[in-house]
Amino acid sequence: MLPAITSEGIIYSHVKKGGYNGEEFCLFLEGLMPHIRPYPAPRSILVIDNCRIHHVEEVEEICVCFVSVLCFASHQMQGYQAALPPCIFS
C-alpha cells in the first residue's frame, strides 16, 4: 500500500502486490494529483523522501503540472521539526 497522508488522514492510496518502481510511482502520483490544490491552499505541498524511485524524471514533470511546491525530505527528519529543502517551485 502506498498512501498520501495529510494531518487530516489518508487522502489517497494505491494498493498492489509487490514493490514499486519509478513508473508505478508515477502512476500513483497521477492518481494523487486530483487531490492536490494550488499553493498556498491545504494539500498544495508534496513532501517525499529521497528514495531512488522518487527521482525519475517524470516525477518532477508530473508535480510541476499540479503541485506548486515539491520537497524532498531529509533522512535526518525527526517528527515534523526538520527543514525540508531542496524544494522545487513551479
Side-chain angles (χ1 to χ4, degrees):
M1 180 174 151
L2 185 57
I5 303 170
T6 71
S7 59
E8 300 166 350
I10 296 174
I11 60 167
Y12 178 76
S13 66
H14 184 264
V15 178
K16 72 178 234 31
K17 190 174 185 176
Y20 284 83
N21 60 29
E23 182 180 338
E24 293 165 329
F25 181 67
C26 288
L27 292 174
F28 165 80
L29 284 178
E30 288 171 356
L32 171 63
M33 290 304 117
H35 303 277
I36 301 296
R37 299 180 184 150
Y39 185 80
R43 299 187 201 161
S44 61
I45 299 174
L46 179 62
V47 179
I48 57 178
D49 66 16
N50 287 317
C51 179
R52 177 175 279 152
I53 66 169
H54 298 161
H55 289 278
V56 297
E57 205 172 293
E58 293 81 7
V59 168
E60 186 174 337
E61 291 171 10
I62 292 167
C63 293
V64 166
C65 290
F66 293 94
V67 180
S68 295
V69 183
L70 170 63
C71 295
F72 291 93
S74 168
H75 290 289
Q76 299 167 349
M77 282 183 68
Q78 295 180 354
Y80 299 104
Q81 303 298 320
L84 299 174
C87 294
I88 299 164
F89 297 89
S90 63

